Amino acid sequence: MPYGPLAFYFEVMVDGVLGGLFQEVSGISSEMEIDEIAEGGENRYKHRLPKGVKLPDLVLKGGSVPIDSPLIDWCRSRLEEGFIQSIEPKRVVVNLLDGNATAIRSWSFESAYPVKWEVNGFHSTKDKIAVEQIVLSYSSSGRTP
């Protein structure tokens, strides 16, 4: 009996609309930053106090994305047009799908915005863009039920 999904991929939703499908997602983690303060007069001890939560960038790799995808429009408008328009943070949901396209786990990322977009190349007979990598910054995350 297998212990996990045999074949899976990731579906990325941007504000509730399908943005694309990806083979690899990383950056789903959080880490508590710690301040170490030495005990006054007692050099053997240090107090470890919580400082804040550090969130890595969300990295989406190996994507197959329709040309009219809201994810591509959002990345292009933010990264190619510079700061002509203000940055519009969006809610991004990443769904882990099994071989039957059933979501088996989901994560949400609030106030996300693109910081990097890398495209492989275009093919004249296909209506999709092969996305090598999209990197998003976000302010908070959580696992959805």
Side-chain angles (χ1 to χ4, degrees):
M1 173 182 272
Y3 292 100
L6 297 176
F8 60 91
Y9 54 101
F10 298 92
E11 171 187 71
V12 176
M13 308 290 286
V14 178
D15 280 346
V17 178
L18 179 63
L21 302 173
F22 291 84
Q23 296 172 350
E24 183 180 336
V25 174
S26 62
I28 302 176
S29 69
S30 57
E31 178 182 349
M32 180 68 70
E33 292 183 296
I34 303 293
D35 251 349
E36 291 190 353
I37 301 173
E39 176 79 33
E42 181 62 65
N43 294 330
R44 295 180 296 164
Y45 303 106
K46 290 186 178 179
H47 295 281
R48 295 176 50 110
L49 304 173
K51 184 175 170 182
V53 176
K54 182 169 70 171
L55 300 170
D57 287 338
L58 179 65
V59 181
L60 312 171
K61 291 184 179 180
S64 177
V65 181
I67 290 175
D68 61 349
S69 163
L71 180 61
I72 295 300
D73 289 343
W74 184 41
C75 288
R76 255 199 336 240
S77 67
R78 290 306 110 222
L79 298 171
E80 290 179 358
E81 295 175 9
F83 292 107
I84 294 172
Q85 298 176 12
S86 61
I87 293 175
E88 295 177 43
K90 297 183 183 270
R91 181 173 194 254
V92 173
V93 174
V94 175
N95 296 312
L96 172 62
L97 305 178
D98 64 12
N100 298 319
T102 303
I104 55 177
R105 184 168 285 177
S106 296
W107 298 267
S108 65
F109 302 88
E110 304 300 328
S111 299
Y113 58 91
V115 295
K116 182 179 179 182
W117 178 38
E118 185 178 328
V119 177
N120 265 351
F122 300 96
H123 194 283
S124 64
T125 61
K126 295 184 180 177
D127 63 347
K128 296 195 179 208
I129 297 175
V131 175
E132 180 63 28
Q133 179 174 286
I134 292 176
V135 179
L136 304 172
S137 181
Y138 58 94
S139 63
S140 66
S141 68
R143 185 173 166 211
T144 59

